[in-house]
Structure formats: C-alpha cells, structure tokens
Amino acid sequence: RGFVNTLTIPGGLHARFVLTGVYGELLPYLSQILESWLPASGFIMKTTPAWVDYHKNQFLTEDDGFELDFYLPIGYY
C-alpha cells in the first residue's frame, strides 16, 4: 500500500530466545527476559534495537499462536 521503512541492525552479540505461545503471552515472556534473565546473566542490554524473526504471527493465524526468535542485543559491563 505504501513505502515500508527499513533499518539495518548493527552487528554484535545478541541473546536469542525461541518463544512460542498464544496472543497475550508475548509481553510476559519479554518482561521475564528483561526483569529476570538479563540481571542474572552478567550481561547488559545494549542500546541497539532488539528484533524479532517471526515464524508464525499471532495476528495472521486462526489460533492466535506465535512462534518467533527474539534477539536481544547484549554486551559486557
């Protein structure tokens, strides 16, 4: 319908999380990653964008399910 913007993700270290669920479960997953996993990991979150690779999108399926890889940019203290 119109132009879609693009963004080049800078390289570097990323933590990959394989997430599956249904609509409404994604935000709690992300909160758990940022509030529990990240502080315990010994890493810090970098300021470059996090990104998602959808294998199944909850807004495009009948069962509201999603399957995705979430990539969080991380670094050392």
Side-chain angles (χ1 to χ4, degrees), residues 12-48:
L13 185 62
H14 288 76
R16 176 178 162 236
F17 300 89
V18 178
L19 305 176
T20 61
V22 295
Y23 180 78
E25 294 178 348
L26 184 55
L27 187 57
Y29 279 148
L30 299 178
S31 294
Q32 183 179 9
I33 290 167
L34 296 175
E35 296 171 9
S36 298
W37 179 85
L38 186 61
S41 71
F43 294 105
I44 59 170
M45 187 170 118
K46 294 177 71 180
T47 58
T48 55

